Amino acid sequence: MEVDRLYGALRRGAGPAATLPEGHSAPTAHLVLRMLREAGQPVSAQEVAEVTGLGRSTAQRYGLPARRA
């Protein structure tokens, strides 16, 4: 799962072993992951976007599936 890969990359730190997928930034990954931890339950990319101020497509790229209404 993409979110698990992001957690792993961030846990390893900013050294050479820490590799986020191309086009991902550590600050944005931290923001999304913090929101996910605080939510304590599954959330949609749209919900992450609303809480963090990111675009829905950005939240989705960071490993969140789109949820159908």
Side-chain angles (χ1 to χ4, degrees), residues 22-34:
E22 188 172 336
H24 284 66
S25 73
T28 302
H30 282 290
L31 179 64
V32 170
L33 294 173
R34 186 177 73 222

Side-chain angles (χ1 to χ4, degrees), residues 26-53:
T28 302
H30 282 290
L31 179 64
V32 170
L33 294 173
R34 186 177 73 222
M35 188 275 171
L36 292 173
R37 283 188 201 115
E38 291 172 0
Q41 62 185 10
V43 294
S44 69
Q46 183 61 42
E47 291 168 317
V48 171
E50 290 170 2
V51 170
T52 62

Side-chain angles (χ1 to χ4, degrees), residues 1 6 8-9 11-12 26 30 37 39 42 44 48 52 56 67:
M1 178 178 223
L6 290 172
R11 245 183 273 138
R12 287 189 292 273
H30 282 290
R37 283 188 201 115
S44 69
V48 171
T52 62
R56 185 206 47 80
R67 187 169 75 187

Side-chain angles (χ1 to χ4, degrees), residues 19-20 27 29 33 41 46 49 55 61 66 68-69:
T19 55
L20 291 170
L33 294 173
Q41 62 185 10
Q46 183 61 42
R61 274 195 309 275
R68 297 191 173 143

